[in-house]
Structures are given as C-alpha cells and as structure tokens.
Amino acid sequence: MNGPLLRFGYGTNGFADHRLDDALAILADLGYAGVALTLDHQHLDPYAPDLSARLTRLAGRLDTLRLAVVIETGARYLLDPWRKHRPTLLCDDGADRRVDLLVRAVRIGAELGAEAVSFWSGTAPGGQPEEVGWDRLVAGCEQVLTAAATAGVIVGFEPEPGMFVDTLDRFTDLRGRLGAPAGFGLTLDIGHCRVVETDSVPDCVRRAGPHLVNVQIEDMRQRAHEHLPFGDGEIDFPPVLAALDQVRYRGLVSVELPRHSHAAPVLARDSLAFLRKAAP
C-alpha cells in the first residue's frame, strides 16, 4: 500500500500507444491512486465535438476505478502540427489560442473533479524583451485564473527547463506579479530540480512545499533534461519522498515518462514498486 501521505499516479503521456480506457485499467490494477491526464488528440481531445459525452463517461470510469486525476496541458503538437508546444502564452501571434486551451482544460478539470490543472509558460519568441514576456505571461495567467476561480479549480504552474519560467525563483517572481492569488499553485517536477536548480532536490521540495498542488516524478541527470526511469539517473529518492512527507503534501505524485510508451505497463509496474520502497 502507499504510505499514509504519499499518493502515486502515472502520466498518460507515458501510455501513448494505449487506449485511454486500457491505460486507466492497467494503472488501477497495479494499485496507483491516480492519473495525470494529458489533453491530446488521442486520449482526450479538448476540441472533440462529443467532448461532453466523453467527459461524462470518463468521470464515471475514474470513479469506478477509484482513480484521482490531475489535468496536464503539455501535449506537443495539439495547437500547431508543425511547431512543438506552440503557440505559447508569450507569442506575438496565437497566445489567445493557448489561453483558450487552458480555459478548456480548467472546464474539463471541473467536470472530472481534478485535483489540479497544470500548465507552463512556454518559450518566448526570439528577441522578445524580458518585460514584454512578463507582461504577456501575466495577462494570460490572469485569464486562466479567472476561469479557474469561476470553476472552483486549482491551477498548478510548472517551471520547465528551457522555458521562460524555468526555476523556482522565476515561479516566485511570477506569483508576485500576479498578486499571490490563492488559486495559483505550483506543479513541481522532481527531475527538473536536478537540472536547473542550485539547491538539492529535497531542499527544492521543502522550499516549494507551501505552494505545491501537483508533483511529477522521474529520474534525471544534472543539466540533461531527459526523463529517465528510476535508477537510470542521479537522484536519491528516499530523501525526496521524505521531504514531500515532511511538507505534508497530499496531492498526486505522478510518474512522467513521456518517451517510454513502448514499455508502459512494465515501467508503470516497476515505478510503483520503486516508489513504494523509497517512500517513508
């Protein structure tokens, strides 16, 4: 069984070759507490004409399988078939399309009873002045937060290596520029801490603790943004999970292996066994 505080999930972006129903059944059979559901063209298309019916069915399925859910919005080519993760909230053209996707994600999260809806800044266009980037990001986040407040949904903002907001310091800056709203939380990717932060990974968890609403987890090596199965990177996980326990984080801790769908059932099984052994 999971520890008394830590609840483990698995990301559907690591089950790209499975039907969503099959992926959910596997995760439930293995004993996961929840799922990090990426909105995409395959598993759950936020632009599908029959989205309402799909959500009703999916909500029932999640309830039957007793799986909690968080919504992820990092599908690579959902908005632009030519450019990965574009447009972003900082783009000269198309930022409104990203805002529309995130507002749709908030509404989907509300329908499914999601614990959080997660998103990131994206990259800025080349040559864009820093303050222009901040202004556009704040404006986009404010629109998402308005929708989230109306829907009663918590959002988790994720610092992502290589993006405009890539570190905990930049997240803190963004949160301050937004006026520190109550519904604006943090999605912390444990592997990213190893890549971009100067503090130890457990110290990053403790620093992030007051704002945590969503956690992603995988192994990673310093200065190499590559999501790895546990044991293939450099992170010592018992202190990390102990830190999550220490800050009394209650949300999902979801494995994120988006480039390992070819071995999804085996990796999901092995990952849960690893996390249970490493948990306090």
Side-chain angles (χ1 to χ4, degrees), residues 83-125:
R83 301 181 301 163
K84 182 174 71 172
H85 296 323
R86 306 291 278 196
T88 74
L89 291 172
L90 292 85
C91 282
D92 302 319
D93 180 39
D96 57 329
R97 293 171 56 208
R98 177 63 61 176
V99 170
D100 176 72
L101 170 62
L102 298 179
V103 170
R104 287 171 185 260
V106 164
R107 293 170 181 163
I108 289 169
E111 288 286 330
L112 297 179
E115 296 183 2
V117 173
S118 183
F119 69 103
W120 33 241
S121 66
T123 57

Side-chain angles (χ1 to χ4, degrees), residues 10-270:
Y10 201 97
T12 58
N13 61 1
F15 270 86
D17 299 321
H18 283 72
R19 298 178 183 88
L20 181 57
D21 274 359
D22 292 340
L24 296 178
I26 289 171
L27 296 179
D29 287 346
L30 288 172
Y32 278 93
V35 58
L37 175 58
T38 295
L39 302 183
D40 58 23
H41 68 279
Q42 178 177 343
H43 287 142
L44 184 62
D45 186 347
Y47 301 100
D50 61 342
L51 179 62
S52 180
R54 291 189 186 190
L55 289 176
T56 298
R57 182 178 179 278
L58 178 56
R61 181 73 167 148
L62 292 168
D63 184 62
T64 298
L65 295 174
R66 297 186 176 183
L67 289 173
V69 63
V70 296
I71 301 298
E72 299 284 351
T73 58
R76 294 186 180 96
Y77 292 98
L78 184 60
L79 295 180
D80 187 328
W82 288 93
R83 301 181 301 163
K84 182 174 71 172
H85 296 323
R86 306 291 278 196
T88 74
L89 291 172
L90 292 85
C91 282
D92 302 319
D93 180 39
D96 57 329
R97 293 171 56 208
R98 177 63 61 176
V99 170
D100 176 72
L101 170 62
L102 298 179
V103 170
R104 287 171 185 260
V106 164
R107 293 170 181 163
I108 289 169
E111 288 286 330
L112 297 179
E115 296 183 2
V117 173
S118 183
F119 69 103
W120 33 241
S121 66
T123 57
Q128 183 180 82
E130 178 89 353
E131 283 306 313
V132 172
W134 281 119
D135 289 345
R136 290 182 177 176
L137 180 56
V138 166
C141 287
E142 286 176 340
Q143 293 180 72
V144 177
L145 283 167
T146 297
T150 300
V153 170
I154 299 295
V155 300
F157 191 94
E158 180 188 1
E160 178 89 16
M163 293 191 178
F164 186 77
V165 175
D166 55 353
T167 64
L168 289 173
D169 282 343
R170 301 277 281 184
F171 166 79
T172 300
D173 194 348
L174 173 60
R175 190 168 184 274
R177 289 169 184 261
L178 288 166
F184 187 74
L186 172 66
T187 290
L188 185 69
D189 188 300
I190 297 300
H192 295 174
C193 295
R194 179 63 179 158
V195 176
V196 298
E197 303 289 350
T198 56
D199 292 337
S200 72
V201 180
D203 283 345
C204 290
V205 171
R206 284 185 281 268
R207 179 182 170 191
H211 308 300
L212 278 182
V213 297
N214 184 30
V215 171
Q216 300 163 352
I217 194 166
E218 68 286 309
D219 215 340
M220 212 167 281
R221 300 188 183 99
Q222 192 171 31
R223 285 185 267 279
H225 185 197
E226 181 182 1
H227 291 236
L228 301 172
F230 298 114
D232 288 359
E234 301 170 342
I235 299 175
D236 182 15
F237 283 94
V240 173
L241 297 180
L244 287 169
D245 189 17
Q246 180 183 355
V247 301
R248 299 187 67 80
Y249 172 68
R250 300 295 198 278
L252 287 176
V253 181
S254 299
V255 179
E256 187 171 43
L257 294 172
R259 294 177 180 170
H260 291 77
S261 292
H262 61 281
V266 172
L267 281 171
R269 179 198 66 199
D270 293 350

